[in-house]
Amino acid sequence: MIADYLYNITSAPASGEYALNSILTPTMYKETRGDKVVTTGSVHAKEPLEHLFQSRTGLSIPSVFVMYGDNDWLNYRNIQSSMASWGESSTLHKEYVTIPNAGHHLYLDNPEYFHKQMLQYKNTLYPSRL
């Protein structure tokens, strides 16, 4: 099934990809890896939703679960500080997990760990449900 999904999203004419240019902006940043400084590219939201999480205005969600692969091409290095800025006194349940041995498609790169984390998160919020 996943093979069918991947085939169809890569062989079909582009559609949603065009929308990405209107909501994301490319960025370059330097980081130190060992004794080397490398330049890496990523993307950021043009209009981040962080202010909604900080004020909780217009939000009616009980939780946010963020997962990145440890080799994800998206810049995830500041996600924990971003999540912290969403308000410590807030009732919003926030959780962050890095999936080892995974890139951007963590559900394919490390499916066992991915599913284990998803089930653990679900059981934390809804312990009585299957």
Side-chain angles (χ1 to χ4, degrees):
M1 284 204 239
I2 195 74
D4 291 336
Y5 166 74
L6 291 174
Y7 170 77
N8 284 295
I9 65 168
T10 54
S11 66
S15 60
E17 293 81 4
Y18 295 122
L20 294 177
N21 286 328
S22 66
I23 61 173
L24 298 174
T25 186
T27 58
M28 300 296 285
Y29 61 95
K30 293 183 186 225
E31 66 180 359
T32 303
R33 293 185 187 167
D35 59 347
K36 294 182 181 178
V37 176
V38 296
T39 302
T40 306
S42 189
V43 294
H44 291 278
K46 288 184 179 178
E47 295 183 37
L49 298 176
E50 240 175 275
H51 67 280
L52 290 176
F53 287 110
Q54 291 170 347
S55 68
R56 296 294 307 254
T57 304
L59 281 180
S60 61
I61 57 173
S63 66
V64 174
F65 186 41
V66 178
M67 291 192 289
Y68 281 96
D70 63 350
N71 294 304
D72 204 312
W73 62 268
L74 284 174
N75 182 1
Y76 63 91
R77 284 133 186 100
N78 295 322
I79 189 64
Q80 289 177 301
S81 61
S82 291
M83 290 174 74
S85 76
W86 298 347
E88 287 301 319
S89 62
S90 170
T91 58
L92 177 68
H93 177 84
K94 304 170 287 223
E95 193 168 333
Y96 168 74
V97 173
T98 302
I99 305 297
N101 304 312
H104 189 64
H105 295 280
L106 31 121
Y107 51 89
L108 290 174
D109 297 332
N110 194 342
E112 295 84 12
Y113 196 87
F114 172 83
H115 287 105
K116 177 183 171 190
Q117 294 302 311
M118 289 295 290
L119 285 172
Q120 185 175 332
Y121 178 71
K122 180 202 74 78
N123 291 333
T124 299
L125 291 179
Y126 309 106
S128 62
R129 295 183 186 174
L130 292 175

